[in-house]
Amino acid sequence: MKIAIGSDHAGFQYKEHIKAFLMERGETVRDCGTVSEVSVDYPPIMRQVALAVADGDCDRGIVLGGSGNGEAIVANRVKGIRCALCWSVETAKLAREHNNANMISMGQRLITLDTALDIVRTWLETPFEGGRHARRIQQIDQAG
């Protein structure tokens, strides 16, 4: 699987750990930035990750910030993106099962690194249930 990843300065440390975790799993990773903990504006980075997924260049995307809120908002402005803000394994599981989330957002200031890695693992390994949820995904896509 090819995964785009990006963060602002507040999510940089987790981005680096998650990137290494993904590569250890054998995933291909496209790092869209940032490259340090120096303050940056996050919207261009998150948009780049979302566009990589929406354009089909990457299968999924992960964005990180201090809370993950702004990052998810930016990603969800891109047509075809369903970015779920995740703060637990359960939210990641439901994001895949019910929402077929092709991106996740997390906040480095709000969860532990172990939780972040568990979220990523769960999100990657959980299939979309389809069924009644597929109809709802179509409605989401029509609304955008």
Side-chain angles (χ1 to χ4, degrees):
M1 189 177 304
K2 189 169 185 181
I3 302 167
I5 189 168
S7 74
D8 69 359
H9 53 283
F12 175 73
Q13 288 181 13
Y14 281 19
K15 177 181 70 85
E16 295 300 302
H17 286 286
I18 292 168
K19 186 169 60 170
F21 169 78
L22 292 169
M23 291 188 290
E24 286 172 13
R25 285 178 50 102
E27 313 294 354
T28 302
V29 179
R30 178 190 294 180
D31 187 340
C32 297
T34 193
V35 297
S36 74
E37 292 182 281
V38 173
S39 182
V40 296
D41 293 336
Y42 64 88
I45 296 167
M46 305 314 136
R47 183 167 174 75
Q48 184 178 352
V49 174
L51 287 172
V53 176
D55 292 345
D57 295 332
C58 292
D59 302 300
R60 297 201 194 162
I62 300 170
V63 292
L64 299 114
S67 72
N69 282 309
E71 293 74 19
I73 290 168
V74 172
N76 281 317
R77 297 289 303 264
V78 175
K79 186 171 179 57
I81 295 301
R82 290 174 309 282
C83 183
L85 176 60
C86 295
W87 59 89
S88 67
V89 168
E90 185 67 14
T91 57
K93 182 176 179 284
L94 291 170
R96 283 292 305 144
E97 288 178 345
H98 294 191
N99 307 117
N100 199 14
N102 53 9
M103 286 186 63
I104 55 172
S105 181
M106 294 179 285
Q108 180 174 307
R109 293 177 180 153
L110 303 177
I111 59 175
T112 66
L113 177 58
D114 286 341
T115 298
L117 295 173
D118 287 342
I119 286 169
V120 171
R121 182 182 303 106
T122 299
W123 175 68
L124 290 173
E125 296 174 359
T126 302
F128 176 50
E129 283 184 0
R132 70 185 189 276
H133 303 296
R135 180 180 70 247
R136 294 168 183 160
I137 296 305
Q138 289 174 341
Q139 293 172 8
I140 290 169
D141 290 343
Q142 290 170 353

